[in-house]
Amino acid sequence: MASKVTIQDIADALGISRNTVSKAINNTGILADTTKEKVIHKAIEMGYKQFSYANVPYHTKPAPITVSVGNRKIALFTTCFLGNLHFSSSMLDKFYLEMSQLGYSLTMHMVSVSEVSSMQLPASFHKEDTAAIICFEMFDPAYSRMICGLDIPVLFVDSPVEGLADPLKADRLYMENTSSIFILVNEMVRRNKSRIGFIGEYLHCQSFFERYTAYRNAMYMLSLPCLDKYCMIENKKQPEPPSSDDYREYLLGQFQQLDTLPDVFICANDFVAIDVLHVFQSLHISVPEDVYLCGFDDSPEAKVLSPSLTTVHIHSQIMGITATRMLMSRIKEPSLNYRTVYTETSPVFRHSTNDGI
């Protein structure tokens, strides 16, 4: 039996450092897109465990790699690499296992920025042998509607913000975004932390929008003000999609305008919270001493940050099972009314809110 491929094996094959490979695979740090794609391509080629279900990135355009289980294929569309710090990675593992046991294979199609802007499908995608499409990180409204018009069953795991146009003609699966935010706000107020802010682009996706709305509703129900200066809900405005550095620059400008900090910042997800911590370090702001910080998603990195991050755990296994059931029922009964399903989430309290210290 061949030995398991490691990050070091990939680094040796490419003649680069192990750290560079780790950054590319886990989607952390700053790397050139060409370097990241070269690493991902090599990882898939060598059979690295995280890519057992994936085809190579869109630049190379080969025929998708699939598990040979007949002619039935589920196409996964995404605009970003789903590294193992993203909740979707563990959900996908469960989804892939469930679908393969039902006789379906899974192909991955990375949708580039240019393909989104030109409304083109990935060259690796073949409609004629696709039973259904599952979408991750597909938040462009026009492109999402185009996918829904292919006359193929479609499931969105999260989606563009609903309510700004007609509903998507597709099923939608979300993590439950409201109750855990209410619990976080209530618990902070119970601790006499009543000045609470929110950080995250609220129109980035439906989940961000629901988390921001839940925060505002909780504050309203507790008769607490939502001060605009504590709600950092935008990003830099520029022609190209903002990078992580651009977002941190936006946050830096927002923090520098504050005369006082709130007691707590609730972030739209853990990656936003990580950006906030990075900016706080440059401003010599300490968490939790100067301000409490909360995230959402419970990414693996949330546990090892310093301080470890209070967040909301997404039960990715049940999301994978639910995605399987939703797609299978849609394949069998295409005329079903479209459904929106939420799966349970749970708050997790750690050092960033002075817990467990």
Side-chain angles (χ1 to χ4, degrees):
M1 180 181 293
S3 60
K4 185 171 65 174
V5 176
T6 67
I7 286 177
Q8 188 62 58
D9 293 332
I10 300 169
D12 292 343
L14 292 172
I16 59 178
S17 73
R18 186 181 187 281
N19 187 47
T20 298
V21 173
S22 178
K23 286 182 178 180
I25 288 177
N26 294 320
N27 202 28
T28 58
I30 305 299
L31 289 178
D33 288 342
T34 53
T35 300
K36 185 179 295 185
E37 288 176 4
K38 180 172 68 173
V39 171
I40 295 171
H41 185 117
K42 180 58 70 173
I44 293 171
E45 178 186 306
M46 294 177 69
Y48 185 63
K49 62 179 181 178
Q50 193 166 307
F51 302 98
S52 58
Y53 49 76
N55 65 310
V56 293
Y58 59 84
H59 281 92
T60 55
K61 307 298 186 188
I65 298 172
T66 65
V67 178
S68 180
V69 289
N71 229 6
R72 299 185 296 178
K73 298 176 183 176
I74 305 298
L76 187 155
F77 278 23
T78 182
T79 54
C80 72
F81 168 62
L82 304 175
N84 62 10
L85 296 184
H86 194 288
F87 84 90
S88 300
S89 178
S90 55
M91 175 190 165
L92 263 176
D93 287 342
K94 185 63 174 177
F95 175 76
Y96 168 66
L97 176 63
E98 295 287 320
M99 293 303 296
S100 63
Q101 290 175 346
L102 293 169
Y104 288 84
S105 60
L106 183 66
T107 62
M108 176 180 275
H109 307 276
M110 298 284 287
V111 183
S112 68
V113 173
S114 62
E115 285 168 337
V116 171
S117 61
S118 61
M119 301 291 284
Q120 292 182 339
L121 293 167
S124 57
F125 170 72
H126 304 289
K127 176 181 175 180
E128 61 275 7
D129 59 7
T130 301
I133 298 172
I134 184 169
C135 295
F136 288 84
E137 298 287 324
M138 299 296 300
F139 299 145
D140 182 271
Y143 197 86
S144 297
R145 293 182 194 290
M146 186 265 286
I147 294 173
C148 294
L150 295 175
D151 197 29
I152 299 174
V154 179
L155 173 65
F156 283 87
V157 180
D158 209 345
S159 71
V161 177
E162 297 285 331
L164 301 179
D166 292 337
L168 294 172
K169 295 181 184 293
D171 295 316
R172 286 150 298 208
L173 174 61
Y174 302 103
M175 64 296 299
E176 207 284 315
N177 293 299
T178 300
S179 60
S180 290
I181 294 292
F182 269 73
I183 292 171
L184 286 177
V185 172
N186 273 288
E187 176 60 20
M188 294 302 103
V189 172
R190 189 189 69 78
R191 301 182 189 186
N192 296 317
K193 305 288 186 180
S194 58
R195 294 183 304 155
I196 304 173
F198 185 94
I199 303 177
E201 296 177 78
Y202 78 115
L203 293 180
H204 172 66
C205 61
Q206 180 66 14
S207 287
F208 277 26
F209 180 79
E210 290 181 1
R211 293 167 196 175
Y212 177 59
T213 302
Y215 151 77
R216 293 194 67 93
N217 286 342
M219 296 293 282
Y220 174 79
M221 292 176 68
L222 293 168
S223 301
L224 297 173
C226 290
L227 300 180
D228 288 343
K229 66 179 181 178
Y230 294 151
C231 293
M232 303 174 188
I233 56 175
E234 297 181 354
N235 201 340
K236 289 184 68 174
K237 293 180 172 60
Q238 55 191 47
E240 296 297 322
S243 66
S244 178
D245 286 343
D246 292 324
Y247 187 57
R248 290 177 179 181
E249 186 176 330
Y250 160 78
L251 290 176
L252 178 63
Q254 295 295 304
F255 291 135
Q256 287 175 332
Q257 294 176 35
L258 294 180
D259 49 359
T260 59
L261 288 168
D263 299 317
V264 185
F265 274 122
I266 294 176
C267 298
N269 71 4
D270 292 348
F271 297 111
V272 172
I274 291 169
D275 284 330
V276 170
L277 279 171
H278 185 275
V279 176
F280 278 175
Q281 288 175 355
S282 68
L283 295 173
H284 305 291
I285 296 172
S286 179
V287 175
E289 290 79 9
D290 299 324
V291 58
Y292 283 6
L293 190 67
C294 305
F296 204 112
D297 287 355
D298 196 19
S299 65
E301 195 161 354
K303 304 177 183 66
V304 298
L305 286 171
S306 182
S308 58
L309 186 64
T310 287
T311 183
V312 175
H313 180 70
I314 295 173
H315 299 274
S316 54
Q317 294 289 302
I318 192 61
M319 288 195 76
I321 293 171
T322 304
T324 302
R325 292 174 178 172
M326 292 180 76
L327 264 188
M328 286 305 302
S329 61
R330 176 63 58 190
I331 290 169
K332 292 177 180 178
E333 295 288 345
S335 62
L336 285 174
N337 295 104
Y338 296 117
R339 298 153 297 172
T340 299
V341 176
Y342 289 86
T343 62
E344 181 185 13
T345 57
S346 310
V348 180
F349 293 90
R350 297 195 180 103
H351 293 181
S352 67
T353 52
N354 216 27
D355 291 273
I357 297 178

